[in-house]
Amino acid sequence: MSPLAPIQAAPDTDRLNLSAAPAVVAVTDRQQRRRYMSVRLKFLLTLLVSFGWAGLSLYLATPWIRELGHIIGTAGAHLVIWGVAILPGFMNAFLVAGLLVDRRPARTWTGPFPGITILVAAYNEEASILGTLDSIARQDYPGPMQVLVINDGSRDATMARLGTISYPWLTVIDLEQNAGKANALNQGLKQAQHPLTITLDGDSYLYKGALRHLVGRFLSDPPNTAAVAGSVLLRNSRTNLVTKIQEWDYFHGIAAIKRLQSLFQGTLVAQGAFSLYRTDVLREVDGWPECVGEDIVLTWAILKLGHRVGYCEDAITFTNAPTTFGQFIRQRQRWSRGLIEAFKTHGSLLFKPRMSTIFVWWNLLFPYMDVAYTLFFIPGIVLALFGVYWIAGPMTLLVLPMAFVVNYLMFYIQSHMFRAQGLKVRRNPLGFLVYALFYGLVLQPGCVLGYLAEMLNLRKHWGTK
């Protein structure tokens, strides 16, 4: 069912305790047609723009490919240029076109809100766990709420801190031995009492209205929606240059991709830091898998069952990002390993006939593009500094206008959402400059190391992020 069709209560309303709720505000087909272009038409137009841009790029790159082919062969030249220019250009054009046609329907649910269970897996969170729970206490969620904090064998004073507070909705589960985030969440899932389950990291802080917005988005989305990812932004973005750079990644790139994927029926990662799931679906897929990328593998399992995964851009939580480049690289290595784990477990999603399948193929191409960038484009930049323009050269400057358009569009959309939430975008010009020009020099080699580690089945280092 298209999200542009009249919104109605999901068929499993009895399970969500919503059967007695007033109907959602009715919107006729004629009104919908006046207000919205169908999602499938948006998808087609976005594809046409993207293929057009890729075709033009390939035409302009013909001399470049021919000259590089004299050095490394025609096949090698195509592999390099497609990996560093044509495919990234196609994806950027798709992102721009998709964001331009995206008109998110407003939340329309007017009935009572169902009960929610919030799972907070905590490992060595003594500095932040009380703030996380305080942010939950400050929410204005109008339905029943159960919060389960699962202390995953913390070696610091996390349990001592939890012993100093008492909320009527709070239960603490103390696991004596650390066994990883997936196990902690699954222990909490066993005790979940409500039809909707929300995960929240132990160092996150919910912004006002986050729970109401997240659940309201779920209730207003198409009936086949089984999960909704919240918006995760940085809490410690002022710490140093490393966090200032990541602030733009979360604010720009990650948010824009999730928004686009949600438009075309399948957000690929409902991140563990803050996401909502139908409890019955979580139990149907046996909860979180024991792996490094438990959230992406879980999300793909949900998509594999034919469900939709959405995104709520104004259900905001602030979380802590790595504060050193070493921590940042290790985090992205885990994310990259999680991607490979997802393909190992749910690779059949590549052949599922739905609009969101294009994003699964994108993820399949990411390792190739990251390798091409790491092994060819970065050395090409170094060669260009010495006047050797085999890979990077004056023509590379042609990508700057597209990069400007992409970043401006993402900034415009996110800034509009910020203003609507009473937030202000803080000045961070140095972080943006480094993010726009040099982020890939650190990010993509780190991702390549993650792919290799998973393919070689190296030891996995568990983390909570």
Side-chain angles (χ1 to χ4, degrees):
M1 177 180 176
S2 166
L4 305 181
I7 301 169
Q8 52 187 296
D12 55 337
T13 50
D14 287 337
R15 182 164 56 244
L16 295 181
N17 296 322
L18 299 175
S19 55
V24 179
V25 176
V27 183
T28 67
D29 287 333
R30 183 176 300 176
Q31 288 173 322
Q32 287 282 8
R33 284 195 294 269
R34 282 202 303 265
R35 292 176 58 191
Y36 298 117
M37 181 191 305
S38 77
V39 173
R40 292 192 179 278
L41 181 55
K42 291 179 180 180
F43 184 71
L44 178 60
L45 289 174
T46 302
L47 274 180
L48 289 174
V49 170
S50 307
F51 278 118
W53 178 268
L56 175 62
S57 300
L58 185 59
Y59 171 75
L60 294 174
T62 300
W64 185 13
I65 294 173
R66 184 167 52 248
E67 292 174 12
L68 185 60
H70 292 317
I71 302 168
I72 63 173
T74 302
H78 274 280
L79 281 173
V80 171
I81 303 308
W82 277 81
V84 303
I86 308 303
L87 287 174
F90 172 86
M91 293 177 180
N92 279 331
F94 192 94
L95 177 62
V96 169
L99 291 176
L100 286 174
V101 299
D102 182 24
R103 296 293 184 273
R104 295 180 66 78
R107 284 181 291 268
T108 54
W109 183 258
T110 59
F113 279 61
I116 58 173
T117 295
I118 302 176
L119 303 182
V120 183
Y123 177 65
N124 293 343
E125 301 288 4
E126 64 177 2
S128 56
I129 189 64
L130 296 188
T132 299
L133 293 173
D134 179 65
S135 74
I136 296 175
R138 292 172 180 269
Q139 293 292 300
D140 60 349
Y141 187 71
M145 184 171 67
Q146 172 196 27
V147 178
L148 300 172
V149 175
I150 309 97
N151 176 48
D152 189 24
S154 296
R155 293 181 222 156
D156 64 359
T158 298
M159 272 303 295
R161 295 290 173 86
L162 290 169
T164 65
I165 57 171
S166 176
Y167 295 105
W169 35 257
L170 174 63
T171 300
V172 177
I173 303 173
D174 186 19
L175 305 180
E176 293 184 1
Q177 300 236 341
N178 173 253
K181 188 174 182 179
N183 176 71
L185 292 173
N186 286 329
Q187 294 302 319
L189 180 61
K190 292 177 183 178
Q191 299 188 31
Q193 299 173 353
H194 295 298
L196 298 179
T197 295
I198 294 172
T199 57
L200 184 67
D201 273 354
D203 62 351
S204 297
Y205 194 92
L206 292 175
Y207 188 61
K208 63 182 180 182
L211 295 178
R212 180 191 288 267
H213 291 170
L214 188 65
V215 177
R217 171 52 59 194
F218 167 78
L219 295 171
S220 302
D221 271 3
N224 63 332
T225 301
V228 179
S231 176
V232 179
L233 300 174
L234 289 200
R235 187 178 184 181
N236 62 337
S237 60
R238 302 289 96 178
T239 302
N240 55 32
L241 181 60
V242 178
T243 59
K244 288 180 180 179
I245 297 169
Q246 291 175 84
E247 178 178 42
W248 288 107
D249 190 20
Y250 281 78
F251 184 74
H252 267 196
I254 294 175
I257 291 296
K258 286 187 181 297
R259 188 182 186 112
L260 186 67
Q261 290 176 347
S262 177
L263 169 65
F264 295 130
Q265 305 291 293
T267 302
L268 292 191
V269 185
Q271 70 286 330
F274 184 42
S275 290
L276 172 151
Y277 311 86
R278 275 175 41 189
T279 306
D280 63 313
V281 173
L282 281 177
R283 289 173 172 153
E284 183 179 358
V285 299
D286 297 322
W288 287 265
E290 293 286 350
C291 58
V292 169
E294 72 283 334
D295 47 7
I296 182 173
V297 178
L298 169 67
T299 307
W300 286 30
I302 293 172
L303 292 170
K304 195 173 181 178
L305 291 177
H307 299 296
R308 175 185 176 275
V309 178
Y311 171 64
C312 185
E313 73 283 355
D314 59 356
I316 300 170
T317 188
F318 292 94
T319 193
N320 291 323
T323 56
T324 69
F325 277 114
Q327 293 172 349
F328 170 73
I329 292 296
R330 288 193 292 273
Q331 179 198 60
R332 297 312 167 101
Q333 285 177 339
R334 288 198 299 272
W335 291 8
S336 299
R337 294 191 73 162
L339 176 62
I340 302 300
E341 289 172 332
F343 274 112
K344 286 180 178 179
T345 311
H346 303 298
S348 60
L349 274 177
L350 287 165
F351 308 104
K352 199 167 185 69
R354 57 194 295 179
M355 287 181 288
S356 61
T357 299
I358 189 173
F359 301 116
V360 183
W361 280 95
W362 280 23
N363 279 264
L364 183 65
L365 292 170
F366 281 155
Y368 158 54
M369 291 188 296
D370 289 339
V371 168
Y373 186 93
T374 301
L375 298 184
F376 297 103
F377 189 71
I378 293 177
I381 293 175
V382 176
L383 289 173
L385 295 176
F386 295 94
V388 181
Y389 304 125
W390 291 344
I391 299 173
M395 196 177 161
T396 309
L397 297 176
L398 293 177
V399 304
L400 294 179
M402 173 59 82
F404 174 79
V405 171
V406 170
N407 279 287
Y408 176 78
L409 182 60
M410 290 189 292
F411 180 80
Y412 174 81
I413 291 172
Q414 282 290 89
S415 298
H416 181 75
M417 183 275 289
F418 255 45
R419 287 193 296 271
Q421 294 301 305
L423 291 167
K424 182 179 180 181
V425 182
R426 294 183 293 193
R427 290 180 56 83
N428 182 8
L430 177 60
F432 176 76
L433 182 65
V434 178
Y435 167 75
L437 298 179
F438 305 110
Y439 194 59
L441 299 178
V442 177
L443 172 65
Q444 288 170 280
C447 290
V448 170
L449 293 176
Y451 303 139
L452 289 174
E454 183 59 30
M455 293 173 69
L456 295 174
N457 200 28
L458 300 181
R459 181 184 174 191
K460 298 183 179 183
H461 300 277
W462 302 94
T464 58
K465 300 298 285 180

